[in-house]
Amino acid sequence: MIIQITSLVFAGLLIAGALSDAWRYKIPNWLSGALLVPFIIAVILNFPGWGALGLHLATGVGALVLGMLIFAAGWWGGGDAKMFAAAAFMYGWPLGMSFLFYTALAGGGLVLVLIALRHTLPAFPALAKHTPGTALVQGAPVPYGIAIAIAGLLLMPQTGLLSTF
């Protein structure tokens, strides 16, 4: 029962990060920190062994380094990098590589949707004026937290730490 609640909290935090990024282009630090709480609870409830725990920790730290490099290149915001790293702790190795791949795939899809909207909506000024997230559609930065959340939610069923068995 506790692991199911932990899973729901983890999913809810991913969704909250995506919504915050979509609406405010900001993922609060507390949210990224809160993503670590379900990881810690899941480790306590489903201890994977010291070797596997080490791989989870290494995956999270590696994701943080990768996120910082992507942030330094100007492709992500700092909140995206922190959210990605915090979620990556839950997936460990080798599922962390799938998390990276799915995040990139979802991000690419998000960019394509935004490009299509940015080219289509100007042809319909009345529609564009009343479209939610108009700044996003008109050229604001891409809220990559949405892609991170999509990838995280897709991989949750494969996450051993959130298993009830």
Side-chain angles (χ1 to χ4, degrees), residues 62-126:
L64 181 60
V65 170
L66 178 62
M68 289 170 30
L69 291 172
I70 294 171
F71 169 71
W75 298 334
W76 274 3
D80 300 318
K82 290 178 272 187
M83 180 178 167
F84 178 73
F89 278 94
M90 186 66 81
Y91 300 107
W93 183 265
L95 196 56
M97 291 304 296
S98 296
F99 181 52
L100 172 62
F101 176 75
Y102 282 19
T103 299
L105 195 62
L110 178 61
V111 168
L112 291 175
V113 167
L114 290 174
I115 288 171
L117 287 173
R118 289 174 183 171
H119 283 78
T120 305
L121 281 179
F124 305 98

Short mmCIF file of all heavy atoms in Angstrom, two decimals, residues 62-126:
data_model
loop_
_atom_site.label_atom_id
_atom_site.label_comp_id
_atom_site.label_asym_id
_atom_site.label_seq_id
_atom_site.Cartn_x
_atom_site.Cartn_y
_atom_site.Cartn_z
N GLY A 62 25.12 11.16 -12.52
CA GLY A 62 25.45 11.30 -13.95
C GLY A 62 24.43 12.15 -14.69
O GLY A 62 24.78 12.97 -15.54
N ALA A 63 23.15 11.98 -14.34
CA ALA A 63 22.09 12.78 -14.96
C ALA A 63 22.23 14.25 -14.57
O ALA A 63 21.97 15.14 -15.38
CB ALA A 63 20.72 12.25 -14.56
N LEU A 64 22.67 14.51 -13.34
CA LEU A 64 22.88 15.89 -12.91
C LEU A 64 24.02 16.52 -13.71
O LEU A 64 23.90 17.66 -14.18
CB LEU A 64 23.18 15.95 -11.41
CG LEU A 64 23.40 17.36 -10.85
CD1 LEU A 64 22.18 18.24 -11.07
CD2 LEU A 64 23.76 17.28 -9.37
N VAL A 65 25.10 15.80 -13.89
CA VAL A 65 26.23 16.31 -14.68
C VAL A 65 25.79 16.56 -16.12
O VAL A 65 26.07 17.62 -16.70
CB VAL A 65 27.44 15.34 -14.62
CG1 VAL A 65 28.51 15.75 -15.62
CG2 VAL A 65 28.00 15.30 -13.21
N LEU A 66 25.07 15.60 -16.71
CA LEU A 66 24.57 15.77 -18.07
C LEU A 66 23.63 16.97 -18.15
O LEU A 66 23.72 17.78 -19.07
CB LEU A 66 23.86 14.50 -18.54
CG LEU A 66 23.24 14.56 -19.94
CD1 LEU A 66 24.31 14.78 -21.00
CD2 LEU A 66 22.46 13.29 -20.21
N GLY A 67 22.72 17.08 -17.19
CA GLY A 67 21.80 18.21 -17.16
C GLY A 67 22.52 19.54 -17.05
O GLY A 67 22.13 20.53 -17.69
N MET A 68 23.58 19.58 -16.25
CA MET A 68 24.36 20.82 -16.12
C MET A 68 25.06 21.17 -17.43
O MET A 68 25.13 22.36 -17.80
CB MET A 68 25.38 20.68 -14.98
CG MET A 68 24.71 20.67 -13.62
SD MET A 68 25.75 20.24 -12.19
CE MET A 68 27.36 20.78 -12.57
N LEU A 69 25.54 20.17 -18.14
CA LEU A 69 26.17 20.42 -19.44
C LEU A 69 25.14 20.94 -20.45
O LEU A 69 25.43 21.86 -21.22
CB LEU A 69 26.84 19.15 -19.96
CG LEU A 69 28.07 18.68 -19.20
CD1 LEU A 69 28.52 17.30 -19.69
CD2 LEU A 69 29.20 19.69 -19.32
N ILE A 70 23.95 20.35 -20.45
CA ILE A 70 22.89 20.79 -21.36
C ILE A 70 22.45 22.20 -20.99
O ILE A 70 22.20 23.04 -21.87
CB ILE A 70 21.71 19.79 -21.34
CG1 ILE A 70 22.17 18.44 -21.91
CG2 ILE A 70 20.52 20.33 -22.10
CD1 ILE A 70 21.16 17.32 -21.74
N PHE A 71 22.38 22.50 -19.69
CA PHE A 71 22.06 23.85 -19.24
C PHE A 71 23.14 24.84 -19.67
O PHE A 71 22.84 25.93 -20.17
CB PHE A 71 21.90 23.87 -17.71
CG PHE A 71 21.83 25.24 -17.12
CD1 PHE A 71 20.70 26.03 -17.30
CD2 PHE A 71 22.89 25.76 -16.38
CE1 PHE A 71 20.63 27.30 -16.76
CE2 PHE A 71 22.83 27.02 -15.84
CZ PHE A 71 21.69 27.80 -16.02
N ALA A 72 24.40 24.45 -19.51
CA ALA A 72 25.51 25.33 -19.90
C ALA A 72 25.49 25.62 -21.40
O ALA A 72 25.87 26.72 -21.83
CB ALA A 72 26.84 24.71 -19.49
N ALA A 73 25.02 24.65 -22.18
CA ALA A 73 24.92 24.85 -23.63
C ALA A 73 23.74 25.76 -23.99
O ALA A 73 23.62 26.20 -25.14
CB ALA A 73 24.80 23.52 -24.35
N GLY A 74 22.85 26.00 -23.02
CA GLY A 74 21.70 26.86 -23.27
C GLY A 74 20.49 26.15 -23.85
O GLY A 74 19.55 26.79 -24.31
N TRP A 75 20.49 24.83 -23.78
CA TRP A 75 19.39 24.07 -24.36
C TRP A 75 18.28 23.79 -23.36
O TRP A 75 17.15 23.50 -23.75
CB TRP A 75 19.89 22.75 -24.93
CG TRP A 75 20.88 22.90 -26.04
CD1 TRP A 75 21.01 23.95 -26.90
CD2 TRP A 75 21.89 21.97 -26.41
NE1 TRP A 75 22.04 23.74 -27.77
CE2 TRP A 75 22.61 22.52 -27.50
CE3 TRP A 75 22.28 20.74 -25.93
CZ2 TRP A 75 23.66 21.88 -28.10
CZ3 TRP A 75 23.33 20.09 -26.54
CH2 TRP A 75 24.00 20.67 -27.61
N TRP A 76 18.61 23.81 -22.07
CA TRP A 76 17.65 23.60 -20.99
C TRP A 76 17.79 24.71 -19.99
O TRP A 76 18.84 25.35 -19.89
CB TRP A 76 17.97 22.31 -20.22
CG TRP A 76 17.44 21.04 -20.76
CD1 TRP A 76 16.71 20.84 -21.88
CD2 TRP A 76 17.59 19.75 -20.15
NE1 TRP A 76 16.42 19.52 -22.02
CE2 TRP A 76 16.94 18.83 -20.97
CE3 TRP A 76 18.21 19.31 -19.00
CZ2 TRP A 76 16.89 17.48 -20.67
CZ3 TRP A 76 18.16 17.96 -18.71
CH2 TRP A 76 17.51 17.05 -19.54
N GLY A 77 16.75 24.87 -19.17
CA GLY A 77 16.85 25.75 -18.01
C GLY A 77 17.42 24.96 -16.85
O GLY A 77 17.50 23.73 -16.88
N GLY A 78 17.79 25.66 -15.80
CA GLY A 78 18.34 25.00 -14.62
C GLY A 78 17.33 24.08 -13.95
O GLY A 78 17.69 23.02 -13.44
N GLY A 79 16.06 24.47 -13.95
CA GLY A 79 15.02 23.64 -13.35
C GLY A 79 14.86 22.32 -14.09
O GLY A 79 14.64 21.27 -13.48
N ASP A 80 14.98 22.37 -15.42
CA ASP A 80 14.89 21.15 -16.21
C ASP A 80 16.02 20.19 -15.84
O ASP A 80 15.80 18.99 -15.66
CB ASP A 80 14.98 21.46 -17.71
CG ASP A 80 13.88 22.38 -18.19
OD1 ASP A 80 12.72 22.18 -17.78
OD2 ASP A 80 14.17 23.29 -18.98
N ALA A 81 17.23 20.72 -15.70
CA ALA A 81 18.39 19.89 -15.37
C ALA A 81 18.21 19.23 -14.00
O ALA A 81 18.49 18.04 -13.83
CB ALA A 81 19.66 20.73 -15.40
N LYS A 82 17.72 20.00 -13.03
CA LYS A 82 17.53 19.46 -11.68
C LYS A 82 16.39 18.44 -11.63
O LYS A 82 16.50 17.41 -10.97
CB LYS A 82 17.29 20.59 -10.69
CG LYS A 82 18.54 21.44 -10.45
CD LYS A 82 18.28 22.58 -9.51
CE LYS A 82 17.79 23.75 -10.31
NZ LYS A 82 17.66 24.99 -9.54
N MET A 83 15.30 18.73 -12.35
CA MET A 83 14.18 17.79 -12.36
C MET A 83 14.59 16.47 -13.03
O MET A 83 14.25 15.38 -12.55
CB MET A 83 12.98 18.40 -13.08
CG MET A 83 11.77 17.50 -13.15
SD MET A 83 10.41 18.34 -13.99
CE MET A 83 9.28 16.99 -14.28
N PHE A 84 15.32 16.56 -14.12
CA PHE A 84 15.80 15.38 -14.84
C PHE A 84 16.67 14.52 -13.92
O PHE A 84 16.49 13.31 -13.82
CB PHE A 84 16.56 15.80 -16.10
CG PHE A 84 17.13 14.65 -16.87
CD1 PHE A 84 16.31 13.82 -17.62
CD2 PHE A 84 18.49 14.39 -16.85
CE1 PHE A 84 16.83 12.75 -18.34
CE2 PHE A 84 19.02 13.34 -17.57
CZ PHE A 84 18.20 12.51 -18.31
N ALA A 85 17.60 15.17 -13.23
CA ALA A 85 18.51 14.43 -12.35
C ALA A 85 17.76 13.80 -11.19
O ALA A 85 17.98 12.63 -10.86
CB ALA A 85 19.60 15.36 -11.83
N ALA A 86 16.86 14.56 -10.57
CA ALA A 86 16.12 14.04 -9.41
C ALA A 86 15.28 12.82 -9.80
O ALA A 86 15.22 11.84 -9.06
CB ALA A 86 15.24 15.13 -8.81
N ALA A 87 14.65 12.87 -10.97
CA ALA A 87 13.85 11.73 -11.42
C ALA A 87 14.74 10.56 -11.79
O ALA A 87 14.37 9.40 -11.58
CB ALA A 87 12.98 12.15 -12.60
N ALA A 88 15.92 10.83 -12.34
CA ALA A 88 16.81 9.76 -12.80
C ALA A 88 17.25 8.84 -11.66
O ALA A 88 17.52 7.66 -11.89
CB ALA A 88 18.03 10.35 -13.50
N PHE A 89 17.31 9.35 -10.43
CA PHE A 89 17.67 8.49 -9.30
C PHE A 89 16.71 7.30 -9.20
O PHE A 89 17.13 6.20 -8.86
CB PHE A 89 17.62 9.29 -7.98
CG PHE A 89 18.85 10.10 -7.71
CD1 PHE A 89 18.91 11.43 -8.09
CD2 PHE A 89 19.95 9.54 -7.08
CE1 PHE A 89 20.03 12.19 -7.84
CE2 PHE A 89 21.08 10.29 -6.82
CZ PHE A 89 21.13 11.62 -7.21
N MET A 90 15.44 7.51 -9.51
CA MET A 90 14.44 6.45 -9.39
C MET A 90 14.66 5.34 -10.42
O MET A 90 14.37 4.18 -10.16
CB MET A 90 13.03 7.03 -9.56
CG MET A 90 11.91 6.04 -9.32
SD MET A 90 11.77 5.44 -7.63
CE MET A 90 10.89 6.79 -6.87
N TYR A 91 15.21 5.69 -11.58
CA TYR A 91 15.31 4.71 -12.67
C TYR A 91 16.58 3.88 -12.62
O TYR A 91 16.58 2.73 -13.03
CB TYR A 91 15.15 5.42 -14.02
CG TYR A 91 13.81 6.11 -14.09
CD1 TYR A 91 13.69 7.48 -14.00
CD2 TYR A 91 12.64 5.35 -14.15
CE1 TYR A 91 12.45 8.09 -14.00
CE2 TYR A 91 11.40 5.94 -14.14
CZ TYR A 91 11.31 7.31 -14.06
OH TYR A 91 10.09 7.91 -14.05
N GLY A 92 17.65 4.45 -12.13
CA GLY A 92 18.89 3.68 -12.03
C GLY A 92 19.44 3.27 -13.38
O GLY A 92 19.06 3.79 -14.42
N TRP A 93 20.35 2.29 -13.32
CA TRP A 93 21.00 1.80 -14.54
C TRP A 93 20.51 0.39 -14.81
O TRP A 93 20.41 -0.38 -13.86
CB TRP A 93 22.52 1.80 -14.33
CG TRP A 93 23.25 1.38 -15.56
CD1 TRP A 93 23.69 0.14 -15.86
CD2 TRP A 93 23.59 2.21 -16.66
NE1 TRP A 93 24.30 0.13 -17.07
CE2 TRP A 93 24.24 1.40 -17.59
CE3 TRP A 93 23.39 3.55 -16.97
CZ2 TRP A 93 24.71 1.89 -18.80
CZ3 TRP A 93 23.86 4.03 -18.15
CH2 TRP A 93 24.52 3.20 -19.06
N PRO A 94 20.17 0.03 -16.00
CA PRO A 94 20.29 0.72 -17.28
C PRO A 94 19.03 1.49 -17.68
O PRO A 94 19.01 2.13 -18.72
CB PRO A 94 20.55 -0.41 -18.27
CG PRO A 94 19.78 -1.57 -17.70
CD PRO A 94 19.86 -1.40 -16.20
N LEU A 95 17.98 1.45 -16.85
CA LEU A 95 16.73 2.13 -17.21
C LEU A 95 16.94 3.64 -17.35
O LEU A 95 16.19 4.31 -18.08
CB LEU A 95 15.65 1.82 -16.15
CG LEU A 95 14.21 2.12 -16.52
CD1 LEU A 95 13.79 1.40 -17.80
CD2 LEU A 95 13.28 1.74 -15.37
N GLY A 96 17.95 4.17 -16.70
CA GLY A 96 18.28 5.59 -16.84
C GLY A 96 18.59 5.98 -18.28
O GLY A 96 18.30 7.11 -18.71
N MET A 97 19.16 5.06 -19.03
CA MET A 97 19.43 5.35 -20.45
C MET A 97 18.12 5.45 -21.23
O MET A 97 17.99 6.28 -22.13
CB MET A 97 20.35 4.28 -21.06
CG MET A 97 21.77 4.33 -20.53
SD MET A 97 22.59 5.93 -20.74
CE MET A 97 22.66 6.05 -22.50
N SER A 98 17.17 4.62 -20.91
CA SER A 98 15.85 4.72 -21.53
C SER A 98 15.18 6.02 -21.14
O SER A 98 14.50 6.65 -21.96
CB SER A 98 14.96 3.54 -21.11
OG SER A 98 15.49 2.33 -21.57
N PHE A 99 15.36 6.45 -19.90
CA PHE A 99 14.81 7.72 -19.44
C PHE A 99 15.40 8.87 -20.26
O PHE A 99 14.67 9.76 -20.70
CB PHE A 99 15.10 7.90 -17.94
CG PHE A 99 14.57 9.17 -17.35
CD1 PHE A 99 13.24 9.55 -17.51
CD2 PHE A 99 15.40 9.98 -16.60
CE1 PHE A 99 12.76 10.72 -16.94
CE2 PHE A 99 14.93 11.14 -16.03
CZ PHE A 99 13.61 11.52 -16.20
N LEU A 100 16.69 8.83 -20.49
CA LEU A 100 17.33 9.85 -21.32
C LEU A 100 16.78 9.81 -22.74
O LEU A 100 16.42 10.84 -23.32
CB LEU A 100 18.85 9.64 -21.33
CG LEU A 100 19.66 10.51 -22.29
CD1 LEU A 100 19.52 11.98 -21.95
CD2 LEU A 100 21.13 10.08 -22.25
N PHE A 101 16.67 8.63 -23.32
CA PHE A 101 16.17 8.47 -24.68
C PHE A 101 14.73 8.95 -24.80
O PHE A 101 14.39 9.70 -25.72
CB PHE A 101 16.29 7.01 -25.14
CG PHE A 101 15.71 6.75 -26.48
CD1 PHE A 101 16.37 7.16 -27.64
CD2 PHE A 101 14.48 6.11 -26.62
CE1 PHE A 101 15.82 6.94 -28.89
CE2 PHE A 101 13.93 5.87 -27.87
CZ PHE A 101 14.60 6.29 -29.01
N TYR A 102 13.87 8.53 -23.88
CA TYR A 102 12.46 8.93 -23.93
C TYR A 102 12.30 10.43 -23.71
O TYR A 102 11.42 11.06 -24.29
CB TYR A 102 11.64 8.16 -22.90
CG TYR A 102 11.30 6.74 -23.28
CD1 TYR A 102 12.01 6.05 -24.26
CD2 TYR A 102 10.27 6.06 -22.65
CE1 TYR A 102 11.68 4.75 -24.58
CE2 TYR A 102 9.94 4.76 -22.97
CZ TYR A 102 10.66 4.11 -23.94
OH TYR A 102 10.33 2.82 -24.28
N THR A 103 13.14 11.00 -22.85
CA THR A 103 13.10 12.45 -22.63
C THR A 103 13.45 13.18 -23.92
O THR A 103 12.78 14.15 -24.31
CB THR A 103 14.05 12.86 -21.49
OG1 THR A 103 13.64 12.22 -20.28
CG2 THR A 103 14.05 14.36 -21.29
N ALA A 104 14.49 12.73 -24.59
CA ALA A 104 14.89 13.35 -25.86
C ALA A 104 13.80 13.18 -26.92
O ALA A 104 13.48 14.12 -27.66
CB ALA A 104 16.21 12.76 -26.35
N LEU A 105 13.21 12.00 -26.97
CA LEU A 105 12.15 11.72 -27.94
C LEU A 105 10.92 12.59 -27.67
O LEU A 105 10.37 13.22 -28.58
CB LEU A 105 11.78 10.24 -27.89
CG LEU A 105 10.96 9.67 -29.03
CD1 LEU A 105 11.71 9.78 -30.34
CD2 LEU A 105 10.64 8.21 -28.74
N ALA A 106 10.49 12.65 -26.41
CA ALA A 106 9.34 13.48 -26.05
C ALA A 106 9.65 14.95 -26.27
O ALA A 106 8.78 15.72 -26.71
CB ALA A 106 8.94 13.22 -24.60
N GLY A 107 10.87 15.36 -25.99
CA GLY A 107 11.27 16.75 -26.22
C GLY A 107 11.24 17.10 -27.69
O GLY A 107 10.79 18.18 -28.08
N GLY A 108 11.71 16.19 -28.52
CA GLY A 108 11.66 16.42 -29.96
C GLY A 108 10.22 16.54 -30.46
O GLY A 108 9.90 17.40 -31.27
N GLY A 109 9.35 15.67 -29.94
CA GLY A 109 7.93 15.75 -30.31
C GLY A 109 7.31 17.06 -29.85
O GLY A 109 6.54 17.69 -30.58
N LEU A 110 7.66 17.49 -28.64
CA LEU A 110 7.16 18.76 -28.12
C LEU A 110 7.61 19.93 -28.99
O LEU A 110 6.82 20.82 -29.32
CB LEU A 110 7.65 18.95 -26.68
CG LEU A 110 7.27 20.25 -25.97
CD1 LEU A 110 5.76 20.38 -25.85
CD2 LEU A 110 7.93 20.31 -24.60
N VAL A 111 8.85 19.92 -29.40
CA VAL A 111 9.37 20.98 -30.27
C VAL A 111 8.63 20.99 -31.60
O VAL A 111 8.25 22.06 -32.11
CB VAL A 111 10.89 20.82 -30.48
CG1 VAL A 111 11.40 21.71 -31.60
CG2 VAL A 111 11.63 21.13 -29.18
N LEU A 112 8.37 19.81 -32.17
CA LEU A 112 7.64 19.75 -33.45
C LEU A 112 6.22 20.30 -33.31
O LEU A 112 5.74 21.03 -34.19
CB LEU A 112 7.61 18.32 -33.98
CG LEU A 112 8.95 17.76 -34.46
CD1 LEU A 112 8.81 16.29 -34.85
CD2 LEU A 112 9.50 18.57 -35.62
N VAL A 113 5.55 19.97 -32.20
CA VAL A 113 4.20 20.49 -31.97
C VAL A 113 4.25 22.01 -31.84
O VAL A 113 3.42 22.73 -32.42
CB VAL A 113 3.58 19.85 -30.71
CG1 VAL A 113 2.34 20.60 -30.26
CG2 VAL A 113 3.26 18.39 -30.97
N LEU A 114 5.23 22.52 -31.10
CA LEU A 114 5.33 23.97 -30.93
C LEU A 114 5.65 24.68 -32.24
O LEU A 114 5.12 25.75 -32.52
CB LEU A 114 6.38 24.31 -29.87
CG LEU A 114 5.99 23.94 -28.45
CD1 LEU A 114 7.14 24.18 -27.49
CD2 LEU A 114 4.76 24.70 -28.01
N ILE A 115 6.50 24.09 -33.05
CA ILE A 115 6.81 24.68 -34.36
C ILE A 115 5.54 24.74 -35.20
O ILE A 115 5.24 25.76 -35.83
CB ILE A 115 7.92 23.89 -35.08
CG1 ILE A 115 9.26 24.13 -34.39
CG2 ILE A 115 8.00 24.27 -36.55
CD1 ILE A 115 10.38 23.23 -34.88
N ALA A 116 4.78 23.65 -35.20
CA ALA A 116 3.53 23.63 -35.98
C ALA A 116 2.57 24.69 -35.47
O ALA A 116 1.95 25.42 -36.28
CB ALA A 116 2.89 22.24 -35.90
N LEU A 117 2.42 24.81 -34.16
CA LEU A 117 1.52 25.81 -33.60
C LEU A 117 2.00 27.23 -33.90
O LEU A 117 1.21 28.12 -34.21
CB LEU A 117 1.36 25.62 -32.09
CG LEU A 117 0.53 24.42 -31.66
CD1 LEU A 117 0.60 24.25 -30.14
CD2 LEU A 117 -0.92 24.58 -32.11
N ARG A 118 3.30 27.43 -33.82
CA ARG A 118 3.85 28.77 -34.06
C ARG A 118 3.69 29.19 -35.51
O ARG A 118 3.66 30.38 -35.81
CB ARG A 118 5.32 28.80 -33.64
CG ARG A 118 5.49 28.75 -32.14
CD ARG A 118 6.92 28.64 -31.70
NE ARG A 118 6.95 28.54 -30.23
CZ ARG A 118 8.04 28.25 -29.54
NH1 ARG A 118 9.19 28.03 -30.15
NH2 ARG A 118 7.99 28.19 -28.23
N HIS A 119 3.58 28.24 -36.41
CA HIS A 119 3.39 28.58 -37.82
C HIS A 119 1.91 28.63 -38.20
O HIS A 119 1.55 29.29 -39.16
CB HIS A 119 4.12 27.58 -38.71
CG HIS A 119 5.59 27.84 -38.77
ND1 HIS A 119 6.43 27.48 -37.76
CD2 HIS A 119 6.36 28.46 -39.69
CE1 HIS A 119 7.67 27.85 -38.05
NE2 HIS A 119 7.66 28.45 -39.22
N THR A 120 1.08 27.92 -37.47
CA THR A 120 -0.34 27.84 -37.80
C THR A 120 -1.16 28.96 -37.16
O THR A 120 -1.99 29.58 -37.82
CB THR A 120 -0.91 26.47 -37.38
OG1 THR A 120 -0.13 25.45 -37.97
CG2 THR A 120 -2.35 26.33 -37.80
N LEU A 121 -0.94 29.21 -35.89
CA LEU A 121 -1.79 30.17 -35.17
C LEU A 121 -1.76 31.60 -35.72
O LEU A 121 -2.79 32.26 -35.69
CB LEU A 121 -1.46 30.16 -33.68
CG LEU A 121 -2.07 29.01 -32.91
CD1 LEU A 121 -1.68 29.06 -31.44
CD2 LEU A 121 -3.58 28.98 -33.03
N PRO A 122 -0.64 32.11 -36.21
CA PRO A 122 -0.68 33.47 -36.75
C PRO A 122 -1.68 33.64 -37.89
O PRO A 122 -2.17 34.75 -38.14
CB PRO A 122 0.75 33.72 -37.23
CG PRO A 122 1.58 32.84 -36.38
CD PRO A 122 0.73 31.61 -36.15
N ALA A 123 -2.01 32.56 -38.56
CA ALA A 123 -3.00 32.64 -39.64
C ALA A 123 -4.41 32.82 -39.09
O ALA A 123 -5.32 33.18 -39.84
CB ALA A 123 -2.93 31.38 -40.50
N PHE A 124 -4.58 32.58 -37.80
CA PHE A 124 -5.89 32.71 -37.16
C PHE A 124 -5.76 33.63 -35.94
O PHE A 124 -5.75 33.16 -34.81
CB PHE A 124 -6.41 31.33 -36.73
CG PHE A 124 -6.47 30.34 -37.84
CD1 PHE A 124 -5.44 29.41 -38.02
CD2 PHE A 124 -7.53 30.32 -38.73
CE1 PHE A 124 -5.49 28.48 -39.05
CE2 PHE A 124 -7.59 29.40 -39.75
CZ PHE A 124 -6.56 28.48 -39.93
N PRO A 125 -5.69 34.95 -36.14
CA PRO A 125 -5.43 35.88 -35.04
C PRO A 125 -6.45 35.77 -33.90
O PRO A 125 -6.07 35.87 -32.73
CB PRO A 125 -5.51 37.26 -35.69
CG PRO A 125 -5.33 37.02 -37.14
CD PRO A 125 -5.80 35.62 -37.42
N ALA A 126 -7.71 35.57 -34.22
CA ALA A 126 -8.71 35.48 -33.16
C ALA A 126 -8.46 34.24 -32.29
O ALA A 126 -8.60 34.29 -31.07
CB ALA A 126 -10.11 35.42 -33.76
#
